[in-house]
Structures are given as structure tokens and as C-alpha cells.
Amino acid sequence: MKRTKIIDVLKSTEYGKEVCVKGWVRTHRSSKAVDFIALNDGSTIKNVQIVVDPSKFDEQLLKDITTGACISAEGTLVESQGAGQTSEIQAAKLEVYGLCGNDYPMQKKGQSFEVMRKNAHMRLRTNTFGAVMRIRHNMAMAIHTYFHEHGFYYFHTPLITASDCEGAGNMFQVTTKNLYDLKKDEQGKIIYDDDFFGEQTSLTVSGQLEGELGATALGAIYTFGPTFRAENSNTPRHLAEFWMIEPEIAFLDQEELMDLEEDFIKYCVRWALDNCKDDLQFLNQMIDKSLIQRLEGVLKDSFVRLPYTEGINILQEAVRNGRKFEFPCQWGDDLASEHERYLVEEYFKKPVIMTDYPRSFKSFYMKQNPGVSGEAGDTGENGSVGYKGAVAPGPTMQGTDVLFPQIGEIIGGSVREESYDKLMAEIERRQMDKTHLWWYIDTRRWGSCPHAGFGLGFERLILFVTGMQNIRDVIPFPRTPKSAEF
């Protein structure tokens, strides 16, 4: 008999119809009169109940059907007599595909997330991780659908690169060289002439630079792929391998970029609420009881647009009023997650797009604001006008970072510097090696255009949408320092 997915069986009202379901046993309750098997096949958070008359089946067969076992069940679809489900199956035939002993790590009793991370190969079968992975799939579909509907082209950028987009230097090297016999020059530097690519290469930290090239040809592109950071960060917000969405758009200014960021992320949240109701309700009940309310809250109001300078003023005022932060928050400091979350969760109580950051800790490719000495529009040497007329004491960049409750920064974006002279001046000021940036610099020499873009960490979006607390629990097989199993 042809298999029917459990999600379709539970929607059906064709009582009396013969059906076949296949999946993994969540629970098996036995008695002399009747057995109840809760079966799940991953198509839905909900289980279908298989009602078994033990007198009609082999005793050993029923003993073999334990939590985690994989079985096939054929029988009659009937209206359920119990609470919690509308349909159930009266079993006529049972077959065990895969036994599961008492040492199965994902037993019915609750497991800690730490234990489940150690059993990442089995944790996907649990209700929680099934819900998270279905939501992850839906968020990927939302992203592709949004950009397709808005005229963007899906653009594939390389995973192996000779350039460091962020200038951080924390990259995983890619080589075919014998690490036990490395050739070095007189200065002790490794010679890469005989390596596969003939030069030092690494796994990419971002597809942005190549994405900019796509935008100057196709108008609007987006990337969606894995990126890698060799940072020794054991925090609930960091992975060594994660997925990034990076749109780049020609002829977009700062206001339009913020409009895009807000519209895009609201679209994704709305998609989750519309298409993942059962999974969100489960996570709202089991993980975060304010989850759905928080998601709905994102859709209600416009995001606050807050220049960095005014953000610092708000944080310093909070300190003067007795608020304690672990990290300093002077003008020129890169905001910590605690600062971002204070602004979002306590001060404004809604998402914030922070703009116009100091040049000192932002990337070389960002467009620099014109200096001002007083009113907006005046030119000078002191910096740029902030929120409500606050004047920044130093040069600022046209950054547009989206800060979210529970997460902190979820999007990092900016207007890109289109001027060849200004870009080169910034590269020289930072004493950057131009060897591997020649092709990027060429885009400013030949037909340069105003353009902007942003990067969204996919796993951080999933963290927000699911209410999970650790980024290692929203990707199937996390890659972190000292951990590359599975």
C-alpha cells in the first residue's frame, strides 16, 4: 500500500479509508486490552495515534516497537475517541523496519540541550528539533520567495577566496600542501607557488565583495550560502560555519536600504506566523512562552531609526541613572550585545536600525558621511549630525545595522563607497594590502555607481523566530571551536 504522510492523514476526514503510515515511534503504551503507539514521520509536529488490539499481533513484535523504533502501520482511518487529535488509525498490519534498544539516547524523558548536542545525529528526531528544522526550511523558502518577487537574482559567490572581506584575518586556510613539509622563503614565509591555487587561499567570511560585482551588472542580487569564521568564540551567538544572506543593490541610498531591511525581515516573520503555526505553538509552549507575541510585535510598529551618536547618548544617560553595563559605552566604542539589547528591549521596546557608526570600527568599503559643524548640511571637520541634531565628534560611516530583541544585531548593512578616490584613500589610511583587492577596486574605476547592501546571519534569524537560546541548536550540525563531529 502506498504511504501517506502523517500531516495529510491528520487533515483527512475520509473515515473508513485504508491508509499506510511510516515513521518513528514517539511512545508505546501497552495494556492487555489495547496498545497505543504515537508515530511521527517528520512532516508535522503532531503524532498520529495507532490503536492496536494486542490479541491480533505477535507478542514479540509489539515488544520490539519501542521509543525510537521505525515502523510501518496499515489500517483504517477512524475518528478519534480521545482528546488531542481528530483522527487515528486502527491497526491491521504492523512491520518493524528498525529496532531501537533501551540505550537509545532520545528517550521520552526530557533531555538537556547539552546532552542533545552530544547526540546531534539523533536529536533531529525530537519534537523540538523537528520543529526548528521545519521552521528553518520555511525561512529559507521565505528568503528566496521575497527576493524573487522583488526582482533580485540569486547569485553564487565563491567559498574559496584569496581576499579577506572583513579585514579581520580570522579565516580557515585551504591548501593541498603537505603540512609536515612546508617550503618557506628566506624570511620564513610559506611559499604557495606549488599549492593548488598558486597562492594562499581561505574559506570565505562573506560573499559581499563578489556580490557587489553582481549588483553592478544585474542591478540587484542576493547570495545565500555558507560562510566561515575562525574565531575562538564559545558563545551562544557564534558559529565557525554559518549561513549568510547578502543582497547587494545598485542605485540604493541609506533610507532605501533601511526600508529594504525592515520590509525583508517583516516578510520573513510574517511567513513564519502564516506557515509554521503548529511548530511555533509548540515552541511557544515548550521553549519561550512569549515567542508568538514577540513575533507579532515585530509586525505592528515601524522600526526605530537611530544614529549611533544618539544611541550612545541614551546609553550614557542610563549609566548616569544607575544602569550598570559590563562594557564601556563611550563615543567610538563598538556596542556590545548588552547595549544593543538595552536599546531594543528596554528603551524603545521594538527593533532598532542603528546608523552612522564611527569609522574607527567599521569596514573600509562603507560610505563615509560628510563632516558637519552644526546644522545638517553644513560641512566641517567634526563628524556628522546624529539623531535630533546630536553631533558626532568624529567621522562616521553610513552603516545600517538592525538590532532585535533577544538577539542584538541580526543584520549588518551599509551604503558602499562608490568613489574610487575615497575608497583608495580609506584603503591607504588603513594600510591594507591591495594585492588581492585589485578586481574590487576596478569596479570603482569603470562605471562605478551608488549601491548598498546588507548581511543577515541566517542562524540568528532562526534563533529569533524559534525562541531558541543557543545558536548551536538552530543548525543541524554545529561547527564550533574544538567540535567538528557529525
Side-chain angles (χ1 to χ4, degrees), residues 291-308:
L291 173 61
I292 292 177
Q293 180 183 1
R294 191 163 60 251
L295 293 175
E296 291 173 341
V298 168
L299 304 180
K300 290 179 181 178
D301 299 313
S302 296
F303 295 180
V304 175
R305 300 187 178 188
L306 177 72
Y308 168 92

Side-chain angles (χ1 to χ4, degrees), residues 355-376:
T355 68
D356 305 315
Y357 288 88
R359 180 176 65 179
S360 58
F361 60 83
K362 284 300 182 180
S363 297
F364 75 97
Y365 50 72
M366 291 189 180
K367 187 176 182 67
Q368 188 170 317
N369 280 311
V372 300
S373 58
E375 297 299 322

